[in-house]
Amino acid sequence: MTRSQKRKVFNFFMKLVGLLSLALALIVLLSLILDLAIRGGGRIDMDFFTSFPSRRAGQAGILSAWVGTLLVMLITAFLTILVGVSAALYLEEYSKQNHPMTKLIELNILNLSAMPSILYGLLALGIFVHYFKLGASLLTAGLTLSLLVLPIVIVSTREALRSLPSNLKEASFALGATRFQTLYYYQLPSAMGGIMTGVILALSRAIGETAPLITIGALTYIAFLPQSIMDPFTVLPIQLFNWLSRPQAEFHVNAAAAGLVLLTLTLALNLIAILIRIRVRKSIKW
Amino acid sequence: MEYLFEKWFALCAYLSVFITAAIVLILIFESWPFFKAVKLSEFFFERQWTPMFSDAKFGIQPLLMGTLMTTLIACVIAVPIGILIAATLSEYVSQKTRQWVKPIIELLAGIPSVIFGYFALLVVTPFLQFFYPDLPGFSLLSAGLTMSFMILPLIVSLSEDAIQAVPGHLREASKALGATTFETIWKVILPSASSGIISACILGVSRAIGETMVVAIAAGQQPNWTLDPTEPAATMTAFMVQVALGDLPHGSIGYQTVFVVGLTLLVITLFFNFLALRFRSRMQRFS
């Protein structure tokens, strides 16, 4: 073989190796999901959603878990939109670019987004649970998770605002609108799609978080529904963890079923975000 | 009115600085009584971590070793494969294939970690036991291997972004000189994208260090100073979960140790985040 043939063969070989690893990685991850679906799928029926956890695996359900997850997500969504969008508006529209304080905030947001989630749990344990005496309540959980996903919402809102054409903004200013009026009547409505994408992605991250909620002391066994935001709670991932840490195989089947529900919710949220993004991209006709 | 809104927006933006400061301060504050009672030399050089025993020993080493081992296993597998897949996606496959494979990979990156814990315990461990029957039910190997699946999508996605950011004319120049695609990847693209790829890998490492549920479920609960991946051993994060699952009265020794381990974890992740940021800013300067 000549040198150039050898190089071409090697190139082909590496292409094959690359494609094989790609296929293998996808197959491994997808077959893990398939395993979850097969093991857990048979366990899912109406009773599974309407029963409290039980000592008997066959009768246990996820009622308190999914209600808890729903309530925590509502609180998280409310707080995250309120604070995250506001922070993004400030950074994008009000703050002075290249001001050292702005740089510091941006650096902080990057750093926070790569912080282990369990450290947010410790923060919440120290501040919300023990200092403000909020206990291991729905409110504490919502606060903790919204701190955790804040960077996601801030970054995506800023991107959404930045992608708007600046001539319309300038037109608004030229008509005598103030900065806030411009934001309220033009920028926020136009960037809504991008902002919602960010919020939904943030929720899809928050819905699966387990460690920070265990750290604040969320209970693993709850056989009642919370009545107020100060009540103790459990969520789907914690219920899943609880079933997983029992030795009996019947509980592992429950864990698979709860995992399947959780995974479906996460993927559904992600899909909605992707669909909104595609729609937003298509609808832009300036 | 306008003024009030502006102040509110500013307050929300500064909140991020407050959060970071609060995490650092609360960890130092709550660990303070511990370091008053335990000598630093014991903390760093003692090889046992038994805070709940009557003969309590407070050496962070076994927990550090657990974290080091799982992170190492995860990265040794995920980093090379991740970069290989990123390069393949970017350079070998057609634009059309990439457009549907990349979203799938990003979707996989969003799977909750507790579900990976399930995979580790009930799929990966039995699979490994099939080849190596002596493997215990909890092991560093199984947790590390599962974690590599978990950080792989992250590394692929971020590295692929970095490779895409390499200007097209470099690619074309290399091919015009007669280089094969592989030679272009190896000699032109990877060196040009190295800052971004390294930053992606460091973020993967930092994710593996802070990962909690997989190790809490599958790596074992006992602190164990070992270099053998087939043994069970607790990591820093697994220890925190284990203690937090019990009752945690404010000021008790269990409460303090959770914060001490948290502080150690914070210092390590801050170091890696700082490294990743350095490489990231270098990438931006290049492009």
Side-chain angles (χ1 to χ4, degrees):
Chain A
M1 244 194 302
T2 64
R3 209 180 117 91
S4 108
Q5 271 173 326
K6 258 190 212 157
R7 287 168 52 211
K8 274 188 191 141
V9 168
F10 190 65
N11 180 42
F12 182 74
F13 172 73
M14 285 312 288
K15 180 177 179 176
L16 220 59
V17 172
L19 287 175
L20 275 178
S21 346
L22 174 61
L24 193 72
L26 285 177
I27 289 171
V28 167
L29 284 164
L30 293 177
S31 63
L32 286 176
I33 294 172
L34 199 67
D35 174 273
L36 190 75
I38 291 171
R39 253 194 262 204
R43 185 66 185 77
I44 295 180
D45 50 21
M46 268 321 279
D47 287 343
F48 190 64
F49 289 98
T50 55
S51 310
F52 286 112
S54 156
R55 267 182 296 134
R56 281 184 288 275
Q59 292 168 14
I62 53 169
L63 180 61
S64 48
W66 74 256
V67 172
T69 289
L70 183 72
L71 293 174
V72 170
M73 283 305 113
L74 286 176
I75 300 171
T76 309
F78 175 73
L79 292 170
T80 319
I81 295 174
L82 189 69
V83 177
V85 175
S86 302
L89 290 179
Y90 178 77
L91 288 173
E92 204 56 33
E93 298 298 328
Y94 290 92
S95 72
K96 297 181 195 72
Q97 302 293 319
N98 293 324
H99 189 274
M101 210 53 209
T102 314
K103 287 261 183 247
L104 179 69
I105 295 175
E106 283 173 347
L107 203 68
N108 253 297
I109 292 172
L110 271 177
N111 181 36
L112 282 177
S113 64
M115 197 84 103
S117 61
I118 195 165
L119 292 182
Y120 287 91
L122 290 184
L123 170 75
L125 179 65
I127 291 190
F128 302 137
V129 178
H130 287 301
Y131 190 76
F132 289 116
K133 306 258 176 273
L134 296 177
S137 61
L138 284 169
L139 181 61
T140 309
L143 283 166
T144 314
L145 291 182
S146 57
L147 292 186
L148 180 67
V149 297
L150 212 51
I152 303 176
V153 174
I154 295 180
V155 169
S156 60
T157 304
R158 290 189 68 181
E159 267 164 23
L161 288 172
R162 213 175 302 159
S163 66
L164 298 176
S166 63
N167 51 1
L168 286 183
K169 188 167 107 186
E170 282 147 19
S172 167
F173 286 147
L175 288 171
T178 61
R179 198 170 273 281
F180 182 74
Q181 283 168 331
T182 311
L183 268 179
Y184 188 78
Y185 289 108
Y186 158 57
Q187 285 168 299
L188 275 184
S190 316
M192 201 39 97
I195 296 174
M196 285 326 287
T197 313
V199 171
I200 293 170
L201 282 180
L203 288 182
S204 86
R205 164 95 196 272
I207 203 170
E209 277 301 338
T210 323
L213 298 184
I214 291 180
T215 319
I216 63 172
L219 299 176
T220 48
Y221 183 89
I222 286 211
F224 57 85
L225 293 181
Q227 302 299 318
S228 83
I229 57 169
M230 297 312 290
D231 281 352
F233 68 100
T234 193
V235 287
L236 269 175
I238 292 184
Q239 184 68 64
L240 163 58
F241 174 62
N242 176 250
W243 278 333
L244 207 51
S245 47
R246 298 187 187 207
Q248 302 94 328
E250 301 88 58
F251 279 109
H252 292 168
V253 177
N254 285 357
L260 191 59
V261 174
L262 181 62
L263 188 67
T264 313
L265 287 174
T266 316
L267 294 185
L269 284 173
N270 272 298
L271 273 182
I272 294 172
I274 291 173
L275 289 180
I276 293 181
R277 197 185 295 162
I278 293 171
R279 263 193 102 139
V280 169
R281 271 195 201 147
K282 272 194 187 145
S283 68
I284 294 176
K285 292 190 200 85
W286 303 108
Chain B
M1 188 67 186
E2 281 249 331
Y3 179 77
L4 278 182
F5 267 107
E6 184 178 339
K7 285 292 156 225
W8 163 253
F9 294 158
L11 187 70
C12 292
Y14 284 108
L15 188 67
S16 73
V17 184
F18 294 145
I19 298 172
T20 315
I23 291 180
V24 175
L25 287 178
I26 201 103
L27 288 176
I28 293 177
F29 184 73
E30 300 283 5
S31 317
W32 196 250
F34 175 89
F35 284 112
K36 264 195 194 156
V38 176
K39 276 198 226 79
L40 274 179
S41 58
E42 178 179 353
F43 184 65
F44 285 116
F45 299 114
E46 170 64 46
R47 278 197 180 191
Q48 276 179 323
W49 177 262
T50 52
M52 302 304 178
F53 290 11
S54 53
D55 173 31
K57 295 255 171 52
F58 300 100
I60 193 71
Q61 275 193 27
L63 295 178
L64 271 179
M65 283 301 288
T67 298
L68 180 75
M69 288 296 291
T70 48
T71 306
L72 206 66
I73 295 169
C75 293
V76 163
I77 299 167
V79 165
I81 298 183
I83 297 175
L84 181 67
I85 291 179
T88 308
L89 262 186
S90 172
E91 306 298 321
Y92 278 125
V93 305
S94 67
Q95 183 78 12
K96 224 176 157 187
T97 320
R98 201 180 88 218
Q99 261 168 4
W100 65 262
V101 173
K102 190 103 193 276
I104 292 182
I105 289 177
E106 274 160 11
L107 218 54
L108 290 171
I111 298 178
S113 65
V114 68
I115 292 183
F116 276 100
Y118 168 91
F119 294 147
L121 190 68
L122 295 180
V123 186
V124 177
T125 303
F127 180 77
L128 290 174
Q129 278 168 337
F130 183 74
F131 295 102
Y132 183 74
D134 291 340
L135 193 75
F138 303 105
S139 69
L140 291 168
L141 180 64
S142 162
L145 187 62
T146 313
M147 233 150 62
S148 74
F149 302 152
M150 204 175 115
I151 62 173
L152 188 68
L154 180 81
I155 294 180
V156 170
S157 169
L158 290 175
S159 309
E160 212 263 346
D161 290 341
I163 290 175
Q164 284 290 312
V166 173
H169 60 84
L170 288 182
R171 235 174 237 114
E172 288 145 21
S174 163
K175 290 204 176 146
L177 287 171
T180 62
T181 310
F182 175 73
E183 286 158 353
T184 309
I185 293 174
W186 189 247
K187 298 211 170 119
V188 178
I189 296 189
L190 289 186
S192 320
S194 61
S195 302
I197 294 176
I198 293 172
S199 148
C201 296
I202 296 175
L203 279 177
V205 173
S206 141
R207 176 97 186 267
I209 292 173
E211 168 48 39
T212 309
M213 295 322 289
V214 172
V215 287
I217 292 169
Q221 309 270 316
Q222 287 302 318
N224 178 7
W225 201 109
T226 179
L227 284 168
D228 179 2
T230 59
E231 277 185 37
T235 65
M236 292 191 284
T237 48
F239 170 77
M240 285 191 263
V241 165
Q242 190 203 350
V243 176
L245 277 173
D247 211 16
L248 264 192
H250 189 215
S252 65
I253 188 75
Y255 185 85
Q256 287 172 13
T257 52
V258 170
F259 281 90
V260 169
V261 176
L263 184 63
T264 318
L265 181 65
L266 175 76
V267 172
I268 296 172
T269 15
L270 280 184
F271 171 72
F272 278 102
N273 286 355
F274 174 74
L275 269 188
L277 280 175
R278 280 291 293 275
F279 279 106
R280 225 177 98 115
S281 57
R282 215 199 269 178
M283 170 174 99
Q284 278 155 359
R285 225 176 298 151
F286 172 82
S287 56

